[in-house]
Amino acid sequence: MVPRLEDLDWAAKLLERGKRIAYVAEAPVVHLHDEGFSQTLNRYRREAIAHRRIFNDPRMSRFEAARLLLANVANDYVHATRGRQLLGNLVSIPKFRTAQFLGTYEGFAQHGEVPTELRRRFYYPRGIRRPKPEDAEIGSPIAYDDLGHERR
């Protein structure tokens, strides 16, 4: 099991089996992340852990994380200036990028299984109770063909 990037994991497994993946530019995609600093940090940490498991990638060094942080902040400031949105994003840009690259660095540095306390923080943030087995709804699994299409 991977804690994030399940789409990349699925795609890698298909490619390993000799299947092909097609890009469809018209396919609708909606992405919404309305998260604070700690949620963003945890999201990128989970994604880096998943990335290492899927692709068996090496670590990200502190130097590389700092370099990417500074480069992305600078790039975001340039784009925000062009769009006349710099003033409203002066603090949010470095805050987001710090959470992004700190989380990524920490995730790549994670070895072995994710400790229970860290897993709890990933999936059950403060204020959200962990579901009990008796609360779970049992449904039927979705069957997919070799191309990833749902069988009907």
Side-chain angles (χ1 to χ4, degrees):
M1 181 190 116
V2 291
R4 290 289 284 201
L5 302 180
E6 56 283 339
D7 52 344
L8 290 179
D9 185 45
W10 173 82
K13 287 175 181 170
L14 279 180
L15 293 172
E16 283 174 6
R17 292 173 51 195
K19 304 299 179 183
R20 294 182 356 188
I21 299 171
Y23 172 73
V24 179
E26 298 81 24
V29 176
V30 177
H31 242 173
L32 176 64
H33 296 288
D34 185 19
E35 304 167 324
F37 184 86
S38 62
Q39 291 96 348
T40 302
L41 181 122
N42 281 335
R43 175 165 54 96
Y44 280 98
R45 188 183 309 160
R46 285 192 312 263
E47 289 183 359
I49 291 169
H51 194 275
R52 280 196 63 179
R53 287 186 180 173
I54 295 166
F55 298 107
N56 209 11
D57 278 352
R59 293 183 197 195
M60 173 183 279
S61 70
R62 286 184 184 145
F63 175 78
E64 184 179 11
R67 183 185 62 76
L68 288 169
L69 166 66
L70 295 173
N72 277 272
V73 168
N75 188 46
D76 290 348
Y77 278 160
V78 167
H79 288 288
T81 301
R82 287 184 190 153
R84 298 174 191 242
Q85 298 175 338
L86 180 60
L87 200 54
N89 291 295
L90 206 53
V91 173
S92 65
I93 288 172
K95 186 176 174 182
F96 170 79
R97 292 299 184 182
T98 298
Q100 178 185 23
F101 289 105
L102 179 59
T104 301
Y105 168 76
E106 289 176 354
F108 276 117
Q110 174 69 43
H111 289 288
E113 288 302 310
V114 178
T116 303
E117 182 55 38
L118 184 56
R119 190 175 319 118
R120 200 172 284 132
R121 213 174 326 141
F122 281 166
Y123 299 108
Y124 306 104
R126 244 181 277 146
I128 298 177
R129 74 173 182 87
R130 186 178 194 151
K132 296 176 184 171
E134 60 268 19
D135 294 340
E137 289 185 32
I138 299 175
S140 58
I142 300 171
Y144 293 96
D145 64 18
D146 285 343
L147 297 175
H149 298 119
E150 184 177 348
R151 290 186 191 148
R152 299 191 184 253

